[in-house]
Amino acid sequence: MPEQQSSPTFSVISGAQVHEVLGHREKEIVELTEATYLLHHQQATVNPPSYFLRFPDRPTSRIIALPASVGGDVAVDGVKWISSFPENIADGIPRASAVLILNDQKTGYPFACLESSIISAVRTAASAALAAQRLSEHRARPRRLGIVGTGLIARYIHTYLAATGWQFDEIGVHDLSAEHAEGFRGYLNRTDTAEVKVHEDAESLIRASDLVVFATVAATPHVTDPGWFSHAPLVLNVSLRDLSPEVVLAAENIVDDVDHCLRANTSVHLAEQATGNRDFLNGTLAEVITGEVALDPARTLIFSPFGLGVLDLAVGRHVHDALRDSGELRPVDGFFHDLRRHGE
């Protein structure tokens, strides 16, 4: 008979613990994000398509499963289960909520469940900050930041940009809600020395910005005129569906993963449908990092990251291991039960 292994353990990691581990470690997380992108580029990961659960009676809401596996030193499998319910905002709670499950690569047993809305925001912001850095290395460094959408993701992206050395002369803000735009201006005035301006429309913000961040819940394109980008800004298309195919096709385009991003009617997916090909894509961020892709600094450059589950796993593993090493991990007694094949 095979030798009985020690019983697997399972820990629950709260949002407060996640926040404690990740707070003020922006540079470290950006480095982890870059390393994970390179692992993905080296095919040391598995990142199948995300799975969307939609509701006929609640068409604005969805829950997404992001299964993934990361090799290398991270060495973890798992899945993020993240919901987006925009109507939550009117009730005073965040739009998104999430959990992340980490699985042991040897046994397949889950060994942790983490509150993951913070992890999701952190990996998104770290990806945006990394892209801003790498994609601006061969063009004039942006001094005017414009942010469309003023929710939690926008706040995290600004935090990561500031923590990784970005300084701006001007920051523009636009949101469909004037109240939310003013609230975000208040946040920026408390945390940044730049001059902050609220724009009444996206066009004026885009024309006044060298680095444009889209962080909205837009389901279909609302920015349709390539002429708004005639000054060739760097665009972080984080929310993925703000830009029309015409805008995408008039620019250079970098994605995090080609097959992953060209689905679910993202802006780049709509551009593929319009043209019948993917020739408008220049490559991936990892290919820019490795020098496999060269870009024209005189053209608008759009980065569209679908959001890879491997990034969530890498950050989640980092949080778990930090808590384990500090003695703060909290296993759930008796979570796995009846582990003997033929009983007692």
Side-chain angles (χ1 to χ4, degrees):
M1 294 182 62
E3 181 180 349
Q4 177 69 32
Q5 301 294 316
S6 59
S7 296
T9 61
F10 186 83
S11 300
V12 174
I13 299 173
S14 70
Q17 290 178 296
V18 172
H19 183 267
E20 180 67 24
V21 171
L22 296 179
H24 307 296
R25 290 178 172 84
E26 291 86 359
K27 291 182 180 180
E28 183 179 354
I29 300 304
V30 170
E31 291 172 358
L32 174 62
T33 299
E34 182 172 53
T36 306
Y37 273 137
L38 293 176
L39 277 176
H40 185 64
H41 183 53
Q42 296 159 8
Q43 299 184 338
T45 64
V46 180
N47 202 110
S50 301
Y51 298 89
F52 288 73
L53 175 61
R54 299 187 183 277
F55 315 98
D57 59 329
R58 292 161 284 160
T60 64
S61 300
R62 64 179 188 261
I63 307 179
I64 312 174
L66 285 78
S69 175
V70 185
D73 293 335
V74 179
V76 69
D77 306 331
V79 62
K80 180 174 73 171
W81 182 242
I82 182 166
S83 65
S84 175
F85 282 55
E87 281 71 21
N88 285 352
I89 297 172
D91 295 328
I93 59 175
R95 169 188 62 86
S97 59
V99 294
L100 177 68
I101 301 295
L102 304 181
N103 292 75
D104 179 75
Q105 289 197 330
K106 181 180 180 181
T107 67
Y109 270 80
F111 60 86
C113 175
L114 301 85
E115 195 287 325
S116 198
S117 65
I118 296 172
I119 289 173
S120 188
V122 160
R123 65 84 151 145
T124 300
S127 171
L130 174 65
Q133 177 63 40
R134 290 299 195 174
L135 298 178
S136 64
E137 288 178 346
H138 300 292
R139 58 169 55 212
R141 190 173 176 87
R143 299 292 303 181
R144 302 176 300 166
L145 171 64
I147 302 175
V148 182
T150 59
L152 180 140
I153 296 298
R155 173 164 60 85
Y156 270 81
I157 290 174
H158 170 262
T159 296
Y160 266 70
L161 288 172
T164 53
W166 285 86
Q167 294 180 319
F168 300 100
D169 300 323
E170 303 172 13
I171 301 179
V173 175
H174 171 65
D175 196 287
L176 293 179
S177 166
E179 178 184 359
H180 294 158
E182 284 297 333
F184 199 72
R185 170 157 66 176
Y187 155 75
L188 290 172
N189 284 334
R190 295 190 305 271
T191 59
D192 204 295
T193 59
E195 178 183 353
V196 181
K197 178 180 178 180
V198 174
H199 291 258
E200 294 184 358
D201 56 80
E203 178 182 359
S204 64
L205 179 142
I206 292 167
R207 291 186 182 276
S209 305
D210 308 312
L211 174 61
V212 182
V213 176
F214 287 96
T216 75
V217 293
T220 56
H222 58 96
V223 175
T224 60
D225 187 348
W228 296 1
F229 302 84
S230 60
H231 56 301
L234 172 58
V235 180
L236 305 180
N237 183 31
V238 175
S239 43
L240 286 173
R241 295 175 179 84
D242 299 80
L243 307 178
S244 71
E246 293 79 8
V247 172
V248 170
L249 295 173
E252 295 196 306
N253 289 277
I254 296 295
V255 297
D256 52 3
D257 179 280
V258 175
D259 291 331
H260 204 63
C261 198
L262 271 69
R263 61 179 68 244
N265 288 327
T266 61
S267 294
V268 286
H269 186 209
L270 293 177
E272 179 189 32
Q273 294 174 51
T275 61
N277 61 64
R278 298 177 174 184
D279 296 344
F280 60 90
L281 291 180
N282 296 75
T284 66
L285 182 58
E287 290 173 327
V288 173
I289 293 170
T290 59
E292 298 170 61
V293 168
L295 299 167
D296 183 353
R299 296 187 64 195
T300 298
L301 176 56
I302 301 172
F303 175 57
S304 299
F306 197 88
L308 301 180
V310 294
L311 299 182
D312 296 282
L313 289 186
V315 176
R317 181 73 194 234
H318 173 82
V319 171
H320 171 274
D321 291 355
L323 292 170
R324 178 200 62 200
D325 295 345
S326 66
E328 297 297 322
L329 206 58
R330 302 168 184 169
V332 178
D333 290 339
F335 185 84
F336 296 110
H337 186 65
D338 200 3
L339 296 172
R340 293 185 178 275
R341 185 178 181 88
H342 301 295
E344 295 295 338

